[in-house]
Amino acid sequence: QTPLKKTNALIAQMGITFLNAYVPSALCCPSRASILTGKYPHNHHVVNNTLEGNCSSKLWQKIQEPYTFPALLKTMCGYQTFFAGKYLNEYGAEDAGGVGHVPPGWSFWYALEKNSKYYNYTLSVNGKARRHGENYSVDYLTDVLANMSLDFLEYKSNFEPFFMMISTPAPHSPWTAAPQYTKSFQNVSAPRNSNFNIHGKNKHWLIRQAKTPMTNSSIQFLDDAYRKRWQTLLSVDDLIEKLVKKLELNGELDNTYIFYTSDNGYHTGQFSLPIDKRQLYEFDIKVPLLVRGPGIKPNQTNKMLVANIDLGPTILDIAGYDLNKTQMDGMSLLPLLRGDKNVTWRSDFLVEYQGEGYNGSDPTCPGLGPGVTHCFPDCVCEDSYNNTYACVRTLSASWDLQYCEFDDREVFVEVYNLTADPHQINNIAKTIDQEILEKMNYRLMMLQSCSGATCRTPGVFDPGYRFDPRLMFSNHGVRARRFSAQSL
């Protein structure tokens, strides 16, 4: 059972499904910035969903926006470009130019002011504010985005290639389904994997504070959220069907690449965390990635380790742009899409997150003291200012590992062997071979300071990897890596 039956038939079955697609930061704004720039968060400096965290700030607009892949597509490759939907969470903020700001690189701009909504929102239509109310037939955002996209395909120039980015807020909260879908999936509840509703022992303190077992009200809350998310996706499924049909009608389907992905995963009850993202585990950093298009054989799967920083380089590569001219950290997926046989590919990538928290205590949970935020039912808090970590996620022929370090008082380390423990229940930091720990720690330091080509150097388990233990200037095994306070 899936809410995306048509998407699956029209994209996955007609193309390729990447089984190991990830985001370097499991939060909307840093992740969207990574898609647009092809860079890790430490290089685009968007660290969370706030203006202070560089989300759609004046600094982002000045330093990063002119070099996003859509800007290069439009100015360097002669593409007509179309954007519709949620851009960055703080887009349209008064302090950052309001909805009058249209980022460079977009010929047609229909962007949602601020964060996800389904009704009662404002769109920036090429820099002019347009208010929408709550009448389903004219205001339901997913359908509005579908109609704008179809209009673009109808009226665009046929003399220039085109690029469209359609960014539906669904299935983001507030999970408002279209009226015809509010009764769907009545029997669906969140998956009950082996890490569902168990205590996160041997995990960092934010996970350990979750109440286990969860109360019935928390379980009902997360099951309800899961069901509503599926319901909102039925409208996304309709949007994809309409677009594919329109491309087919225009005779453009066979020479158009279609990518389907998301900005982060989501948890519903794993380790007794009711609902959110921002964590380092698979359920938050793993995303779908489906691609169909010219030269892609149908019904394929690919196990290579790919990340959202690869989307920009891939699309520029398709457009014929020289990737050496960019400062992007990612790699073009084009050889994988075409099924080239002798591709050398990465065996690891970086996951990094800088926690968000208030100076005061959360008003809903004063007992927890200052610094925590996003506290859901029963005062289980999903984030805090020192929920700051970096990980190397490794996938090679011999190893399927994740190594993480926290920048907190404990300098907490988490290591998982996903071959033996796919649900990341057992932290093996204390028992894993010390040499592997040191190599992972060293690789993490390298990736945290990488930029461009140095982000694509061989990982620990690649034949070309070089490890110089003299660079480990520690006398107590794994060195505590101080995270640089993001110098914005």
Side-chain angles (χ1 to χ4, degrees):
Q1 211 179 357
T2 164
L4 293 166
K5 285 202 171 77
K6 302 172 196 174
T7 303
N8 194 35
L10 293 169
I11 306 181
Q13 288 169 24
M14 300 307 289
I16 189 166
T17 300
F18 286 92
L19 301 174
N20 293 300
Y22 289 88
V23 296
S25 199
L27 189 61
C28 337
C29 206
S31 186
R32 285 160 184 267
S34 284
I35 292 173
L36 289 161
T37 60
K39 294 177 185 176
Y40 282 122
H42 69 264
N43 288 329
H44 62 55
H45 301 299
V46 177
V47 295
N48 58 36
N49 286 347
T50 64
L51 269 179
E52 300 73 46
N54 206 23
C55 180
S56 214
S57 68
K58 286 241 157 106
L59 195 73
W60 153 267
Q61 292 171 16
K62 186 174 142 202
I63 295 176
Q64 302 296 339
E65 270 185 351
Y67 305 102
T68 59
F69 80 86
L72 295 173
L73 273 182
K74 183 168 185 273
T75 55
M76 301 309 220
C77 308
Y79 273 63
Q80 45 193 329
T81 54
F82 168 93
F83 182 88
K86 174 178 167 177
Y87 179 58
L88 299 173
N89 300 50
E90 286 293 330
Y91 172 75
E94 282 308 308
D95 295 354
V99 293
H101 170 69
V102 178
W106 299 103
S107 328
F108 300 91
W109 179 252
Y110 302 97
L112 180 66
E113 178 191 33
K114 299 286 184 81
N115 202 358
S116 306
K117 288 187 170 179
Y118 294 78
Y119 292 111
N120 297 315
Y121 53 86
T122 297
L123 288 180
S124 167
V125 178
N126 300 318
K128 302 269 189 295
R130 181 189 290 170
R131 286 284 307 147
H132 275 266
E134 46 194 272
N135 174 349
Y136 169 71
S137 61
V138 290
D139 297 319
Y140 187 66
L141 184 57
T142 312
D143 295 353
V144 169
L145 299 180
N147 293 335
M148 288 171 162
S149 304
L150 294 173
D151 279 353
F152 169 73
L153 287 174
E154 178 71 27
Y155 298 115
K156 69 179 172 54
S157 151
N158 288 330
F159 301 107
E160 296 167 311
F162 69 92
F163 168 74
M164 307 174 72
M165 191 168 186
I166 303 158
S167 180
T168 67
H172 199 287
S173 61
W175 314 305
T176 315
Q180 69 272 31
Y181 295 137
T182 51
K183 297 283 186 286
S184 304
F185 305 122
Q186 288 302 313
N187 58 342
V188 166
S189 52
R192 301 308 201 243
N193 290 332
S194 53
N195 55 8
F196 180 83
N197 199 13
I198 63 168
H199 184 250
K201 62 181 189 319
N202 300 328
K203 295 196 167 18
H204 68 104
W205 72 270
L206 191 65
I207 307 292
R208 297 195 302 263
Q209 56 90 32
K211 294 180 177 58
T212 313
M214 290 182 284
T215 59
N216 290 346
S217 58
S218 270
I219 291 176
Q220 194 177 347
F221 175 73
L222 68 87
D223 276 338
D224 197 38
Y226 191 84
R227 194 162 39 247
K228 287 177 173 165
R229 284 160 60 79
W230 272 34
Q231 292 168 355
T232 66
L233 283 171
L234 290 170
S235 295
V236 177
D237 208 34
D238 292 341
L239 174 152
I240 284 164
E241 181 187 42
K242 288 174 195 161
L243 278 174
V244 171
K245 280 187 167 160
K246 181 69 180 161
L247 286 167
E248 193 167 28
L249 196 67
N250 287 0
E252 293 176 322
L253 185 57
D254 292 339
N255 64 352
T256 303
Y257 286 90
I258 305 175
F259 292 74
Y260 177 89
T261 189
S262 176
D263 55 357
N264 50 254
Y266 204 69
H267 54 258
T268 42
Q270 293 93 332
F271 306 128
S272 305
L273 301 171
I275 58 159
D276 200 39
K277 50 252 182 177
R278 311 165 205 270
Q279 302 300 339
L280 55 90
Y281 308 103
E282 293 284 285
F283 42 75
D284 283 4
I285 60 173
K286 205 165 189 180
V287 290
L289 177 57
L290 317 171
V291 193
R292 70 170 283 174
I296 303 178
K297 296 188 179 71
N299 238 330
Q300 290 187 81
T301 56
N302 184 297
K303 290 183 174 158
M304 296 293 194
L305 199 52
V306 303
N308 69 2
I309 54 174
D310 301 333
L311 294 168
T314 305
I315 291 165
L316 289 172
D317 198 11
I318 288 169
Y321 188 71
D322 177 1
L323 296 179
N324 294 325
K325 294 183 179 163
T326 73
Q327 298 298 304
M328 294 184 177
D329 303 333
M331 306 167 64
S332 169
L333 302 173
L334 197 51
L336 302 184
L337 297 177
R338 289 185 177 143
D340 293 0
K341 286 289 169 273
N342 300 329
V343 186
T344 37
W345 199 252
R346 68 161 74 84
S347 66
D348 65 11
F349 75 98
L350 175 69
V351 180
E352 51 188 352
Y353 181 64
Q354 191 170 327
E356 212 180 319
Y358 309 116
N359 291 340
S361 55
D362 190 300
T364 49
C365 304
L368 288 168
V372 292
T373 172
H374 297 84
C375 300
F376 280 108
D378 309 314
C379 287
V380 176
C381 299
E382 299 279 3
D383 206 1
S384 70
Y385 67 90
N386 68 348
N387 177 36
T388 295
Y389 57 80
C391 309
V392 182
R393 178 74 180 86
T394 291
L395 185 60
S396 68
S398 47
W399 288 99
D400 189 354
L401 276 185
Q402 187 172 15
Y403 168 89
C404 301
E405 292 179 16
F406 276 81
D407 189 24
D408 57 13
R409 261 180 311 202
E410 297 179 277
V411 193
F412 202 76
V413 176
E414 293 187 34
V415 184
Y416 299 98
N417 174 355
L418 285 100
T419 311
D421 177 23
H423 294 126
Q424 296 170 296
I425 293 165
N426 303 310
N427 177 6
I428 56 169
K430 301 261 196 304
T431 56
I432 193 170
D433 178 39
Q434 186 67 23
E435 190 194 355
I436 290 185
L437 269 189
E438 288 184 1
K439 281 183 170 178
M440 295 298 264
N441 170 261
Y442 173 64
R443 179 69 178 151
L444 182 60
M445 293 191 311
M446 286 181 61
L447 283 173
Q448 280 186 284
S449 55
C450 78
S451 175
T454 54
C455 298
R456 305 190 287 272
T457 52
V460 171
F461 300 108
D462 290 338
Y465 179 75
R466 293 282 170 269
F467 172 56
D468 182 352
R470 287 169 309 188
L471 295 172
M472 307 291 302
F473 24 81
S474 79
N475 48 13
H476 55 261
V478 174
R479 177 175 94 86
R481 165 95 167 106
R482 298 323 295 169
F483 292 71
S484 56
Q486 285 292 347
S487 44
L488 292 180

